[in-house]
Amino acid sequence: MLERIFGRSLGLVGPAALAMMSLGSPVLAQDQLSIATGGTGGTYYPIGGGLAEIVNNHIEGYSATAEVTGASVENMGLIATGDADLAIGLADTVAQAYAGTGKFEGQQLPMVRGLASLYANMVHIVTLEGSGITSLQDLRGKRVAVGAPGSGTEVNTAAILEANGITYDDIDEQRLNFNETADALANGDIDVGFWSVGAPTSSVLNLATTNSIAIVPLSEDELKAARNADATFALTTLAGGSYAGVDNDVAVLGIPNVLVVSSEMSDDLAYALTKAMFENIAELRAVHPAANETTVEFTMGATPIPLHAGALRYYDEVGAEVPDHLRE
């Protein structure tokens, strides 16, 4: 019987394998890894699928599967319980889990460790042309999709609203995932929706093919207020042409996405995962353009929690300048 990294059994070797073993033929069992992602309408799921293929193709003895989840907040819990081996999460959510603050007040998860930072999300605030919503303050009294329960999008949405004097008491909040938000906009069931996601993302792309969309911009003061309230926010640009009908660049808030594992993962496996990802990064970039940001340099500047010792072994091996706060 083979044991998974967190000590859970993979089960008995099957009859065919036993037959081969009885003939003296060596059999290599595959240790299954679970990668916690998000909904199918976002960027986490295709990125997770790309990571799974890298594991399947380049790490002997392991196979991996991308799992649909509620995204960042839920994913940190899955790492803590050992129900996922790798997970993607927004940097602010990851930092809160590690420190026991925010959504994790009173339930600190000190075992979360970084392998790498993958790319920066862009906070999209999407409405339909003709909705009359042209600014953040126009959200008052409106039906607003704030993100799926347990998602980093909801964490980001709440931070942006609260930093600018808007609470859930001021809106009719709807907790919907990305595909549900797009459908609700198209059907007229909501007025505006938040996405914290790599751009372009499939659910907004699909919405924009059948509806005229608009991105609600944040003013300079609103961007500044959000960044003052949450240090993990950065100023970035949603390029014009990312979606049909969005012709001009839009200044938006960005936040890194972190690939997280447990401190209980073996150093050898964490090293192998980090090495395989960076040495085969072209394969991940072929899956989604957000992975163009997945570099050693981005990891060094964007990761908010200590790196796993096995990942550090890789970064030291390639001569990365690792900041002190990323070492335990």
Side-chain angles (χ1 to χ4, degrees):
M1 185 179 294
L2 294 172
E3 297 297 315
R4 291 190 56 185
I5 196 151
F6 291 106
R8 296 192 300 279
S9 171
L10 282 175
L12 296 175
V13 178
L18 287 173
M20 291 179 68
M21 290 171 69
S22 69
L23 294 174
S25 300
V27 176
L28 293 177
Q30 294 288 305
D31 201 353
Q32 180 69 36
L33 301 177
S34 171
I35 304 174
T37 64
T40 57
T43 305
Y44 283 9
Y45 187 70
I47 289 286
L51 290 169
E53 285 304 302
I54 288 174
V55 172
N56 296 339
N57 294 332
H58 301 289
I59 302 183
E60 186 175 351
Y62 289 91
S63 60
T65 304
E67 308 290 350
V68 175
T69 71
S72 297
V73 176
E74 179 181 339
N75 289 355
M76 296 306 100
L78 293 172
I79 289 292
T81 60
D83 290 312
D85 301 288
L86 301 94
I88 308 173
L90 282 165
D92 56 353
T93 304
V94 172
Q96 288 177 9
Y98 181 74
T101 59
K103 289 281 188 180
F104 298 89
E105 187 77 43
Q107 48 183 345
Q108 182 181 12
L109 306 180
M111 75 294 295
V112 296
R113 296 291 183 276
L115 278 192
S117 285
L118 300 173
Y119 63 94
N121 267 19
M122 295 184 186
V123 180
H124 304 43
I125 308 174
V126 183
T127 189
L128 299 186
E129 285 286 356
S131 69
I133 299 172
T134 60
S135 72
L136 191 68
Q137 297 303 319
D138 290 338
L139 269 58
R140 296 177 186 275
K142 298 297 194 297
R143 300 165 299 172
V144 182
V146 298
S151 70
T153 293
E154 187 177 5
V155 173
N156 291 169
T157 301
I160 293 167
L161 293 177
E162 289 170 14
N164 288 286
I166 302 173
T167 71
Y168 282 1
D169 291 335
D170 299 315
I171 63 173
D172 177 8
E173 82 275 9
Q174 306 290 322
R175 289 174 172 83
L176 306 175
N177 67 29
F178 294 147
N179 285 332
E180 291 167 343
T181 298
D183 289 345
L185 276 169
N187 295 332
D189 295 328
I190 61 171
D191 302 299
V192 63
F194 280 76
W195 275 257
S196 184
V197 68
T201 190
S202 61
S203 47
V204 179
L205 283 168
N206 293 337
L207 176 66
T209 62
T210 55
N211 296 267
S212 296
I213 71 166
I215 303 294
V216 180
L218 298 177
S219 69
E220 288 187 18
D221 286 345
E222 288 166 345
L223 291 166
K224 182 177 180 180
R227 295 180 68 195
N228 286 341
D230 188 335
T232 54
F233 280 132
L235 187 62
T236 187
T237 301
L238 176 65
S242 295
Y243 303 104
V246 181
D247 299 325
N248 299 317
D249 291 353
V250 181
V252 297
L253 292 166
I255 187 164
N257 290 286
V258 186
L259 183 60
V260 173
V261 297
S262 170
S263 58
E264 296 182 29
M265 177 177 280
S266 75
D267 289 0
D268 286 346
L269 178 54
Y271 170 82
L273 288 165
T274 310
K275 181 181 175 71
M277 183 182 71
F278 281 111
E279 289 190 348
N280 300 281
I281 196 64
E283 296 178 21
L284 193 59
R285 290 170 180 164
V287 171
H288 198 286
N292 287 321
E293 295 184 60
T294 307
T295 65
V296 171
E297 293 73 22
F298 184 67
T299 293
M300 296 302 107
T303 307
I305 60 171
L307 294 165
H308 192 287
L312 282 168
R313 186 201 307 174
Y314 172 78
Y315 294 123
D316 288 338
E317 189 176 272
V318 299
E321 294 185 13
V322 181
D324 290 344
H325 72 273
L326 297 185
R327 299 183 188 272
E328 292 188 85

